[in-house]
Amino acid sequence: MKERKIVLLGQPNSGKSTVFNNLTGARQHVGNWPGKTVEKKEGTFVYNDTTYTVADLPGSYSLSANSDEEIVTRDYIASGEAELVCVLADASQLERSLFMLADYAGIHTPTMLVLTMTDVAVQKGKTINISVLEEKLGIPVIAMNATERREYDKLHRSFEKALKSPRYLNADTLFAGYRQTELYNEALALTPKNGMKHYSVEWIAAKLMDGDKVVADMLADKEAVNAFMQKAKNGSLITSDCKFAWIEELLDGAVIRQKSTSEILTKFDRAAIDKKKGKWIAIGIVLAALCGSMLIASPFMGLGFALIPPLSSFVTTLISLVGGPIWLSDLINTSVCMSVGWVVAMVGFVFGVNLVFGYIEQVGYMARVSYVFDNVMNKLGLQGKSVMPLLMSFGCTMGGASGARVLDNWGQKLLTIALAWAVPCGAIFSVIPTLTTAFFGWGSVLVVIFLFALMFLHMFVTAKIFGRKLSPVENRAGLIMELPPYHKPRWKDIIRTTLNNVWGTFKKAFIVVFVIATVFWVISYSFHEGETSLLQKIGEAIEPVTKLFGLSWQSFMAFIASAISKEGVLGVFSVVFTGEGSIIDMATNVTSADAAITEIMAATISKPEGLALIVAVTFNVPCMMAVASTYNETHSLKWTLKIALYYIVSALILSGVTYHITNIFM
Amino acid sequence: MKKLTELSGGQKAKIIAIKGDKRYLTRITAIGLNIGCVVEMLQNVKPTPLLVYGRDTMIALNREESEQIVVEVM
């Protein structure tokens, strides 16, 4: 079978991700560019006995050197690795959207142009004459509604044709425009005669005018280049003039407007962008999304947990039939049966969140959220839309982590997830009140307020610590963003994309939960009747140390368990105090806790120790599913472990400080 | 002559000058706002970013940097 390579290039909201997802479906591989905090997405599809690899480059408005994303993008294109560059533009806003094509012009690679959002263009009363564009540009041009499945046959055929007889973009009139300016001719004199790699002299000279440092560093005559860069401070104003003039000329005769634009801001939009109302609408939508996700998740939860008992008894019977030891069936029950059940249960929630967020994004509402929350989230080094996953985390951290997918910048996505871990989730809300009431009675209200104050402090400090690397101050730039027109959602498209994502999550989550559960099982298992587990031995041995953080060995067990799941904390207490049952079963909340456990705890643990425990549990790693989904979203084991370690250490520090301060007063 | 940030909602204006460093100039022009471009102010309420309409597009702009855009009211 033949193999061909295509790369997609387009501005944000040009429909690039939609095209990529529809082309490649579940056959995607997402990773990071080596040594860069930039996502690398590749996928494949087969058409007429040829395997096509499609690379989806990060979205940016131009090919300048303002961010790692842009540099990665143009380096990849200029490397010539892809045999065809497919430029995408929004048909409803061609005048602006074709800027990417104008900025790309001069890179010598086979090219084709795809105009998306034809449905919106029709709504706006615009008709586009493709053949006029084709003739002027000298490359194949097609128009399609990227959410419409049946339009892809047309795209496949164009790919095939464009690869068979490669065509290059004709931008002579653009270059002629450049040549009218003196500055451009000076820049030309500095560039090597034959260009560099796939960059033509025209492209290099135009980038020099833009003050592009990366391009400048590639040139030989450093002194002259530096002098030119000093002189050409406003060069990009000139090049942009030429580019927009070229686009205007291009569209002349190619785009026909039938009716004048209707009202720009709809009634809903007026509210959605309002300083106050807009925020409440966004919060309301997240809450609705949360409830919607729960609703979607509940059958999965039922199924997942119902799966465990029959699976377990099957394994136990099977192993006793072949005469295997009991510990083996216990191990398989925990590491495989329990993990499968758990992951099925939890993946339902991820499915719900992805579905709802996918909908909000495809409709075009997410950009409004980004707009109204820009000021607030900026203080944490994040974009406005980070607020959505963070709010989602009040329901479920895993939902927050997978909702962070809406962030187009990898560093910001990771930072958002790191902060989302500090947001107390639904499970914490189910455990903490029980604990606080046991220890503090009516004072528990104060404890909960204290926990929220700690949350804000935690997020602020975490944003500072992780922000330095993930959202460096020098890379932060003021908001310049388009609010795309509302777009009719295609449920089929959203569901298909979501299912693909969820399958990926399922696989990764299972591996992570399997590994953690197995390790935990080994250290917490009593191989002989009455024998204390390794975990308990370690806990007792290091009690002098954990006491510094206000945690007795029993509390420390509960602390460890709270990194597996928050629901299991009470159950683990019940095991360590009564000596009955299995820690791992309790930690994963498969068996319910002894009802009297809170009374036992209140009687044996002092109040300062109790408060320390509550703090430690609340700010520990949320649960192993959160770890799994973080790993799945960031595809970085290193960063996932870094964040997990940071949370364990900071939870201990917080509990230690809490313990020692409250010890003075109580 | 006015700064873009001084336009009130509903006012239309033509961009006549953009100041700022190279990075800002490439970013602002890449989204479609260059000299000569006509914009309509949709919302100018502190502290939320500006919201303008230009080149068939709704564009959100941070206030601080938008001080550098000079316009002529039409």
Side-chain angles (χ1 to χ4, degrees):
Chain A
M1 205 186 298
K2 280 181 288 183
E3 281 180 35
R4 303 321 283 269
K5 211 157 190 181
I6 299 167
V7 59
L8 305 178
L9 174 69
Q11 291 190 335
N13 304 309
S14 62
K16 191 163 58 71
S17 311
T18 312
V19 169
F20 178 70
N21 286 331
N22 273 296
L23 278 175
T24 59
R27 304 172 63 170
Q28 293 182 4
H29 175 78
V30 188
N32 270 25
W33 293 87
K36 289 256 163 54
T37 56
V38 177
E39 220 163 56
K40 180 182 190 176
K41 276 190 185 170
E42 272 187 340
T44 56
F45 71 92
V46 178
Y47 179 74
N48 277 353
D49 286 331
T50 306
T51 306
Y52 293 83
T53 303
V54 186
D56 179 16
L57 295 173
S60 62
Y61 284 107
S62 71
L63 291 177
S64 54
N66 287 329
S67 65
D68 273 356
E69 271 90 357
E70 290 162 314
I71 295 172
V72 161
T73 300
R74 67 188 200 189
D75 280 354
Y76 181 81
I77 289 172
S79 73
E81 202 184 311
E83 297 154 272
L84 175 67
V85 178
C86 175
V87 183
L88 293 112
D90 178 348
S92 72
Q93 311 173 337
L94 276 183
E95 207 189 313
R96 188 185 57 76
S97 191
L98 281 175
F99 188 87
M100 184 55 103
L101 185 72
D103 210 36
Y104 161 82
I107 300 182
H108 195 69
T109 36
T111 313
M112 67 174 280
L113 177 65
V114 174
L115 307 181
T116 57
M117 316 263 181
T118 45
D119 53 335
V120 183
V122 170
Q123 264 173 42
K124 286 192 169 183
K126 291 181 182 177
T127 324
I128 296 151
N129 191 336
I130 299 296
S131 49
V132 173
L133 284 178
E134 260 183 343
E135 197 186 324
K136 287 184 180 177
L137 292 169
I139 54 170
V141 181
I142 66 163
M144 66 187 287
N145 177 358
T147 55
E148 204 66 76
R149 193 78 175 149
R150 60 173 177 268
E151 303 239 14
Y152 280 82
D153 191 46
K154 187 163 65 178
L155 186 61
H156 288 152
R157 267 183 282 129
S158 319
F159 280 154
E160 196 176 50
K161 218 173 125 196
L163 282 163
K164 210 171 177 186
S165 44
R167 307 268 292 275
Y168 296 85
L169 179 66
N170 171 16
D172 287 346
T173 43
L174 172 65
F175 303 147
Y178 286 157
R179 263 194 296 277
Q180 303 284 319
T181 66
E182 202 179 312
L183 208 55
Y184 177 75
N185 291 313
E186 279 178 45
L188 269 185
L190 295 169
T191 54
K193 281 262 154 1
N194 298 315
M196 283 180 288
K197 291 190 277 187
H198 292 258
Y199 298 132
S200 68
V201 278
E202 289 88 357
W203 191 86
I204 297 170
K207 279 290 158 224
L208 267 189
M209 283 175 78
D210 284 346
D212 196 304
K213 283 205 184 67
V214 181
V215 167
D217 286 344
M218 298 194 300
L219 299 176
D221 195 346
K222 298 277 174 248
E223 221 169 288
V225 169
N226 278 339
F228 176 83
M229 295 281 276
Q230 281 300 321
K231 194 176 161 192
K233 278 215 169 76
N234 289 330
S236 52
L237 291 178
I238 301 171
T239 53
S240 63
D241 273 352
C242 298
K243 284 171 193 160
F244 283 115
W246 177 66
I247 294 170
E248 212 169 294
E249 201 184 299
L250 204 63
L251 297 182
D252 184 33
V255 177
I256 302 148
R257 259 174 205 265
Q258 267 135 6
K259 55 180 179 196
S260 59
T261 329
S262 52
E263 191 126 351
I264 302 163
L265 282 173
T266 58
K267 204 174 161 202
F268 174 75
D269 234 0
R270 287 211 178 274
I273 58 163
D274 189 81
K275 190 171 80 174
K276 287 211 180 74
K277 263 187 252 164
K279 289 199 178 90
W280 285 114
I281 291 176
I283 292 171
I285 287 178
V286 175
L287 287 181
L290 197 61
C291 297
S293 307
M294 295 268 192
L295 217 62
I296 296 170
S298 56
F300 287 93
M301 294 228 174
L303 175 73
F305 288 123
L307 264 177
I308 301 174
L311 270 180
S312 300
S313 64
F314 174 72
V315 169
T316 313
T317 321
L318 197 71
I319 289 189
S320 70
L321 266 181
V322 296
I326 296 173
W327 65 262
L328 184 64
S329 57
D330 277 354
L331 171 63
I332 296 175
N333 278 337
T334 302
S335 59
V336 182
C337 307
M338 192 279 300
S339 301
V340 170
W342 239 60
V343 174
V344 168
M346 296 302 158
V347 149
F349 195 77
V350 170
F351 178 74
V353 172
N354 276 328
L355 199 64
V356 176
F357 274 30
Y359 177 85
I360 296 174
E361 196 161 45
Q362 202 181 80
V363 169
Y365 175 69
M366 205 57 99
R368 275 75 179 169
V369 178
S370 227
Y371 170 75
V372 281
F373 279 101
D374 183 65
N375 285 315
V376 184
M377 300 315 291
N378 243 330
K379 295 191 179 95
L380 295 172
L382 292 171
Q383 300 173 27
K385 59 181 158 184
S386 302
V387 79
M388 296 292 253
L390 288 180
L391 286 174
M392 201 53 151
S393 300
F394 280 109
C396 171
T397 314
M398 190 177 51
S402 81
R405 180 170 292 165
V406 298
L407 289 151
D408 40 26
N409 174 297
W410 185 83
Q412 298 225 334
K413 179 160 77 177
L414 193 51
L415 186 55
T416 304
I417 297 177
L419 294 180
W421 280 30
V423 177
C425 71
I428 292 181
F429 287 121
S430 74
V431 172
I432 292 300
T434 318
L435 282 177
T436 51
T437 319
F439 288 113
F440 300 99
W442 287 109
S444 57
V445 179
L446 290 176
V447 177
V448 171
I449 294 172
F450 169 67
L451 288 178
F452 272 105
L454 267 188
M455 174 194 85
F456 283 114
L457 179 75
H458 196 304
M459 288 173 85
F460 184 76
V461 173
T462 308
K464 279 266 177 289
I465 294 174
F466 284 95
R468 243 179 299 170
K469 183 78 204 280
L470 296 176
S471 174
V473 178
E474 65 270 19
N475 284 358
R476 290 185 197 174
L479 179 78
I480 296 181
M481 178 192 67
E482 151 208 13
L483 271 59
Y486 288 115
H487 195 250
K488 209 169 129 206
R490 302 272 164 169
W491 277 110
K492 257 189 183 164
D493 182 49
I494 298 170
I495 291 172
R496 201 180 319 114
T497 314
T498 305
L499 281 177
N500 288 338
N501 288 340
V502 166
W503 177 235
T505 310
F506 183 87
K507 284 188 286 186
K508 274 228 178 88
F510 178 75
I511 294 168
V512 173
V513 174
F514 172 79
V515 169
I516 297 177
T518 308
V519 170
F520 199 71
W521 181 88
V522 169
I523 59 172
S524 69
Y525 194 71
S526 310
F527 286 89
H528 303 289
E529 188 98 12
E531 187 198 44
T532 48
S533 66
L534 185 61
L535 185 64
Q536 185 171 338
K537 279 183 195 151
I538 296 172
E540 283 171 328
I542 62 165
E543 195 176 31
V545 180
T546 57
K547 273 279 184 192
L548 290 176
F549 304 110
L551 302 174
S552 63
W553 74 264
Q554 292 97 333
S555 296
F556 190 69
M557 294 292 112
F559 172 72
I560 301 271
S562 70
I564 307 285
S565 100
K566 299 289 183 210
E567 294 95 333
V569 170
L570 295 175
V572 168
F573 259 115
S574 154
V575 174
V576 290
F577 277 111
T578 62
E580 285 167 22
S582 132
I583 289 186
I584 181 73
D585 283 352
M586 286 299 177
T588 51
N589 203 25
V590 176
T591 334
S592 54
D594 188 330
I597 190 61
T598 50
E599 284 163 39
I600 302 172
M601 283 167 67
T604 46
I605 300 175
S606 74
K607 280 184 181 175
E609 278 183 333
L611 190 61
L613 171 68
I614 290 168
V615 169
V617 164
T618 306
F619 294 103
N620 195 4
V621 172
C623 67
M624 57 180 163
M625 290 301 295
V627 176
S629 57
T630 301
Y631 175 47
N632 182 49
E633 287 311 317
T634 62
H635 9 273
S636 167
L637 191 60
K638 190 185 95 185
W639 275 98
T640 308
L641 293 176
K642 246 189 211 178
I643 297 174
L645 192 66
Y646 167 80
Y647 267 80
I648 293 171
V649 171
S650 58
L652 287 174
I653 293 172
L654 281 175
S655 73
V657 172
T658 310
Y659 171 67
H660 289 289
I661 292 177
T662 44
N663 224 354
I664 302 170
F665 300 105
M666 286 188 200
Chain B
M1 273 203 340
K2 264 186 177 182
K3 286 179 191 166
L4 183 68
T5 47
E6 291 166 353
L7 287 182
S8 44
Q11 269 189 314
K12 273 191 183 176
K14 190 179 189 175
I15 297 177
I16 52 172
I18 306 174
K19 291 169 223 158
D21 59 8
K22 288 171 178 172
R23 180 172 152 162
Y24 179 64
L25 294 182
T26 49
R27 289 183 69 224
I28 194 79
T29 52
I31 202 152
L33 301 183
N34 64 329
I35 291 172
C37 177
V38 175
V39 294
E40 181 184 338
M41 180 62 69
L42 294 177
Q43 179 167 283
N44 185 353
V45 180
K46 279 180 194 164
T48 30
L50 297 178
L51 194 62
V52 301
Y53 191 77
R55 291 194 193 279
D56 281 350
T57 312
M58 229 191 277
I59 302 168
L61 301 170
N62 72 90
R63 295 185 160 270
E64 205 182 316
E65 286 177 318
S66 303
E67 297 271 328
Q68 306 173 112
I69 301 177
V70 185
V71 296
E72 202 172 70
V73 181
M74 290 169 75

